[in-house]
Amino acid sequence: MSQNQTDTTTRTLSEWTLKNSPHILILTILTSMVVALVRVIPIELQRRIVDDAILGSAQDQLYPYCFWLFISTMMALGLKFAMLGLQCMLGERGLVDMRKAFFQKSLLLPHSFYHKHSPGTVVTTLINELGYVGDYLGTAWSLPLVNILTLLGMGAYLASLNPLLAACSLCVYPASMLVLPGIQRGIN
């Protein structure tokens, strides 16, 4: 019994996600990779619309470029919607398991605890507080992965256009990673 209590309170958030739905997590990671790739395509198409079709006087290419821009934008929206669904599934599955485990733990509390605190308050607090954790479980894997892969994809795209511009643009991120934690600590 004490082993179950220890597991409930010492498990990391990643363990809650990995235990419940590893296949959804893998699908979320794959979708994140595709989303990062699809985010670069509209930028290239916009460049081609301006450079080739409008400035280059290739008016016959304007409609195909605009069509593919529309298709790539719709793909990005569809993938974002799918990723949101996967994030919700990850969060909900982890949340259900977490609530069950903590409810079982609350049943093991001594009766004197419930003389001081009403059972309704304990259950309401448990449900409300774990809701935020469930939201986090859904986005903990996909959001950082999408952002990092998008940064790398955009950096590679910029490097293919102008390496100096890419280096200048990407230098901002390490500098901000050094400065922002200190600012955050000061605010907290």
Side-chain angles (χ1 to χ4, degrees), residues 3 21 24 40 57 59 72 75 79-80 92 99 119 148:
Q3 180 64 27
S21 45
I24 295 175
V40 178
S57 299
Q59 297 291 326
S72 66
M75 276 180 48
L79 286 169
K80 189 167 178 97
E92 287 298 317
R99 282 184 178 159
I148 289 169

Side-chain angles (χ1 to χ4, degrees), residues 94-164:
L95 187 60
V96 166
D97 190 33
M98 211 179 277
R99 282 184 178 159
K100 284 179 185 175
F102 280 104
F103 182 71
Q104 290 299 321
K105 183 173 176 148
S106 69
L107 291 177
L108 299 174
L109 292 172
H111 291 293
S112 61
F113 178 81
Y114 289 109
H115 291 299
K116 296 176 187 173
H117 308 283
S118 73
T121 304
V122 173
V123 171
T124 301
T125 303
L126 182 67
I127 288 172
N128 289 338
E129 293 299 321
L130 287 180
Y132 297 116
V133 176
D135 292 340
Y136 175 76
L137 283 177
T139 59
W141 292 88
S142 61
L143 222 54
L145 185 63
V146 166
N147 290 336
I148 289 169
L149 290 175
T150 300
L151 176 67
L152 293 176
M154 292 293 181
Y157 174 69
L158 277 175
S160 72
L161 295 176
N162 187 339
L164 181 61

Side-chain angles (χ1 to χ4, degrees), residues 179-188:
V179 173
L180 288 179
I183 293 172
Q184 186 67 38
R185 276 191 297 273
I187 291 172
N188 290 341

Side-chain angles (χ1 to χ4, degrees), residues 8-173:
T8 302
T9 56
T10 59
R11 285 173 59 184
T12 64
L13 292 176
S14 299
E15 290 176 47
W16 290 100
T17 307
L18 290 172
K19 177 187 173 225
N20 292 320
S21 45
H23 56 285
I24 295 175
L25 182 60
I26 291 170
L27 187 60
T28 303
I29 291 170
L30 292 174
T31 306
S32 300
M33 291 178 185
V34 174
V35 165
L37 176 69
V38 168
R39 283 186 175 178
V40 178
I41 294 171
I43 295 173
E44 172 62 19
L45 288 170
Q46 290 171 7
R47 184 190 67 80
R48 287 187 182 194
I49 287 171
V50 171
D51 290 350
D52 299 345
I54 295 174
L55 296 178
S57 299
Q59 297 291 326
D60 58 329
Q61 293 296 314
L62 184 60
Y63 289 119
Y65 285 155
C66 288
F67 172 76
W68 288 113
L69 177 63
F70 177 76
I71 295 297
S72 66
T73 304
M74 290 297 114
M75 276 180 48
L77 288 173
L79 286 169
K80 189 167 178 97
F81 181 74
M83 181 123 68
L84 184 62
L86 290 170
Q87 288 172 353
C88 288
M89 287 173 61
L90 274 174
E92 287 298 317
R93 288 184 182 202
L95 187 60
V96 166
D97 190 33
M98 211 179 277
R99 282 184 178 159
K100 284 179 185 175
F102 280 104
F103 182 71
Q104 290 299 321
K105 183 173 176 148
S106 69
L107 291 177
L108 299 174
L109 292 172
H111 291 293
S112 61
F113 178 81
Y114 289 109
H115 291 299
K116 296 176 187 173
H117 308 283
S118 73
T121 304
V122 173
V123 171
T124 301
T125 303
L126 182 67
I127 288 172
N128 289 338
E129 293 299 321
L130 287 180
Y132 297 116
V133 176
D135 292 340
Y136 175 76
L137 283 177
T139 59
W141 292 88
S142 61
L143 222 54
L145 185 63
V146 166
N147 290 336
I148 289 169
L149 290 175
T150 300
L151 176 67
L152 293 176
M154 292 293 181
Y157 174 69
L158 277 175
S160 72
L161 295 176
N162 187 339
L164 181 61
L165 179 65
C168 291
S169 297
L170 293 177
C171 284
V172 172
Y173 290 100

